């Protein structure tokens, strides 16, 4: 068992070195978080943005899929050492690594998504996930009168509680007496890539009466959407538009436009004249978060539902409705 673990670690290290050796000078770089480039959710949204930038500009970029947490510092250091600029990293898991490394490479611009790192050469991009989740929660309650609604998060961390709290408030804005079922697939990064456990939690929510379950769980969410479809119920996707995965069963997706953030980073962060360090918040204003409506779910969401949810959106934007942010005080008052 120890030999197998060592062999996997060694193979992973060799693969990482091979990728980094091929890094081109001054190309932007993108490091995906655990869960895989093609998770059809958070990481894949970043990949899609990078590919769109490449197609539109004719530029090149280098990227890397992390296999474990231990690779973070090595990957970041090697990309920076070889001149990649800017370097975009994904998720809150980078907070402890990025600060010290950014100080070592003051001439490299870094962009971190879903975390805040205070450094003169770091841009921190956060999304208002709670407001987008509020809207899909309202749509869930408009769609179902079962009175019970499920939420399945990936890793049990404050960021994902932010999704849940916004969703719960959206549900309650339509159905004040609604019951909320809240579960997470785990407490380690492996929670982002465990569709089996997520599917089991979805089935448990169905057994408790839920007709709609929102999955904010990265690759694990695929298990939720599959289970809801298999049982004739409705799932809600996250980050990327996942409506196409199970047409007629995915009620909507809480889109988080990570793709646009990556395009913006690749376009501007490599140039000191256009790079803007500091924290940037992206939300409903500009449609950086919101609900997805397309040909795959147009028969599920009525015109009346759209009218209602757009009215709620306008009230959030005007400040008439304040969606509580779990991360502001680690609570979710309902």
């Amino acid at each position: 068992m120890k030999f197998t673990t060592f062999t996997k670690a060694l193979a992973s290290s060799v693969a990482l070195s091979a990728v980094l050796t091929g890094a081109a000078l001054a190309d932007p770089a993108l490091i995906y978080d655990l869960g895989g480039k093609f998770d059809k959710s958070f990481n894949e949204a970043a990949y899609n943005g990078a590919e769109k930038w490449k197609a539109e500009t004719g530029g090149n970029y280098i990227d890397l899929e992390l296999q474990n947490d231990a690779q973070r510092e090595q990957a970041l250091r090697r990309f920076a050492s070889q001149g990649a600029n800017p370097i975009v990293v994904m998720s809150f898991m980078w907070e402890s690594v990025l600060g010290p490394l950014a100080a070592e490479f003051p001439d490299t611009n870094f962009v971190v998504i879903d975390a805040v790192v205070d450094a003169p050469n770091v841009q921190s991009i956060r999304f208002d996930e709670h407001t987008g989740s509020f809207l899909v929660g309202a749509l869930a309650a408009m769609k179902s009168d079962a009175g019970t609604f499920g939420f399945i998060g990936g890793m049990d961390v404050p960021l994902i509680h932010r999704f849940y709290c916004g969703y719960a408030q959206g549900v309650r804005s339509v159905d004040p007496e609604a019951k909320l079922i809240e579960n997470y697939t785990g407490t380690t990064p492996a929670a982002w890539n465990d569709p089996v456990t997520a599917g089991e939690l979805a089935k448990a929510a169905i057994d408790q009466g839920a007709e709609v379950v929102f999955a904010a769980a990265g690759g694990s969410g695929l298990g939720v959407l599959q289970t809801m479809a298999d049982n004739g119920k409705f799932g809600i996707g996250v980050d990327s538009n996942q409506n196409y995965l199970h047409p007629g069963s995915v009620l909507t997706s809480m889109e988080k436009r990570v793709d646009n953030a990556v395009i913006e980073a690749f376009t501007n962060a490599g140039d000191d004249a256009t790079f803007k360090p500091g924290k940037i918040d992206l939300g409903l204003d500009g449609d950086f978060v919101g609900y997805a409506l397309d040909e795959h779910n147009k028969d599920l969401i009525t015109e009346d539902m759209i009218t209602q949810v757009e009215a709620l959106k306008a009230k959030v934007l005007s400040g008439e409705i304040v969606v509580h942010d779990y991360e502001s005080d680690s609570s979710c008052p309902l």
Side-chain angles (χ1 to χ4, degrees):
M1 184 65 180
K2 289 182 179 179
F3 177 76
T4 301
T5 301
F6 173 77
T7 301
K8 288 181 178 179
L10 178 61
S12 199
S13 178
V14 170
L16 176 61
S17 296
V19 171
L20 295 174
T21 299
L25 192 67
D27 280 342
L30 174 62
I31 304 178
Y32 307 101
D33 209 60
L34 301 175
K37 179 193 301 189
F38 299 113
D39 63 356
K40 302 188 186 303
S41 186
F42 181 66
N43 286 322
E44 193 161 333
Y47 167 75
N48 289 337
E51 285 293 296
K52 185 176 181 181
W53 173 86
K54 180 179 179 180
E56 291 180 348
T57 66
N60 292 308
Y61 71 96
I62 50 181
D63 63 353
L64 176 70
E65 294 181 73
L66 292 179
Q67 302 302 311
N68 55 64
D69 274 326
Q71 291 183 332
R72 291 185 192 277
E73 182 176 352
Q74 179 190 3
L76 199 58
R77 186 182 300 278
R78 289 291 294 274
F79 272 163
S81 296
Q82 295 182 5
N85 192 39
I87 301 175
V88 181
V89 297
M90 308 288 293
S91 99
F92 63 92
M93 298 291 289
W94 285 95
E95 287 183 348
S96 62
V97 175
L98 181 54
L101 262 293
E104 287 186 36
F105 297 93
D107 296 328
T108 300
N109 294 332
F110 299 89
V111 178
V112 58
I113 295 176
D114 277 359
V116 177
V117 174
D118 184 13
N121 56 334
V122 176
Q123 182 182 91
S124 302
I125 298 177
R126 291 297 310 269
F127 290 82
D128 292 343
E129 296 95 354
H130 56 304
T131 59
S133 298
F134 176 87
L135 298 184
V136 301
L139 286 171
M142 292 174 199
K143 186 65 178 178
S144 173
D145 60 4
T148 300
F149 300 85
F151 174 88
I152 295 171
M155 192 173 174
D156 189 351
V157 291
L159 173 66
I160 305 303
H161 284 266
R162 197 184 201 201
F163 283 84
Y164 166 73
C165 191
Y167 172 71
Q169 290 171 82
V171 168
R172 290 278 179 86
S173 73
V174 175
D175 182 356
E177 303 301 320
K179 174 184 176 183
L180 279 302
I181 300 170
E182 175 189 11
N183 281 299
Y184 298 84
T185 54
T187 58
T188 70
W192 303 120
N193 195 24
D194 189 357
V196 173
T197 295
E200 291 170 350
L201 292 172
K203 183 58 169 63
I206 291 172
D207 291 343
Q208 294 178 65
E211 292 183 342
V212 185
V213 174
F214 178 26
S220 297
L222 301 179
V224 175
L225 300 183
Q226 181 69 61
T227 298
M228 301 309 288
D230 290 346
N231 287 271
K233 308 296 183 183
F234 299 108
I236 295 177
V238 76
D239 293 340
S240 296
N241 182 351
Q242 297 181 317
N243 296 354
Y244 72 96
L245 293 173
H246 300 281
S249 176
V250 180
L251 178 63
T252 187
S253 298
M254 201 296 279
E255 287 190 289
K256 177 175 167 180
R257 298 309 301 266
V258 174
D259 54 342
N260 288 345
V262 170
I263 292 170
E264 176 70 15
F266 278 13
T267 301
N268 295 317
D271 182 350
D272 288 338
T274 55
F275 176 66
K276 296 179 180 179
K279 183 184 177 186
I280 296 176
D281 291 301
L282 303 175
L284 290 180
D285 187 10
D287 293 323
F288 288 100
V289 297
Y291 64 95
L293 184 64
D294 60 20
E295 69 273 19
H296 301 296
N297 71 336
K298 63 181 177 62
D299 294 332
L300 301 178
I301 298 180
T302 66
E303 288 296 328
D304 182 57
M305 290 169 66
I306 293 173
T307 298
Q308 290 184 65
V309 77
E310 285 296 319
L312 289 171
K313 178 181 176 180
K315 289 181 179 180
V316 174
L317 286 169
S318 72
E320 183 178 347
I321 292 177
V322 177
V323 183
H324 183 76
D325 181 354
Y326 176 88
E327 289 189 323
S328 67
D329 61 1
S330 300
S331 74
C332 186
L334 292 176

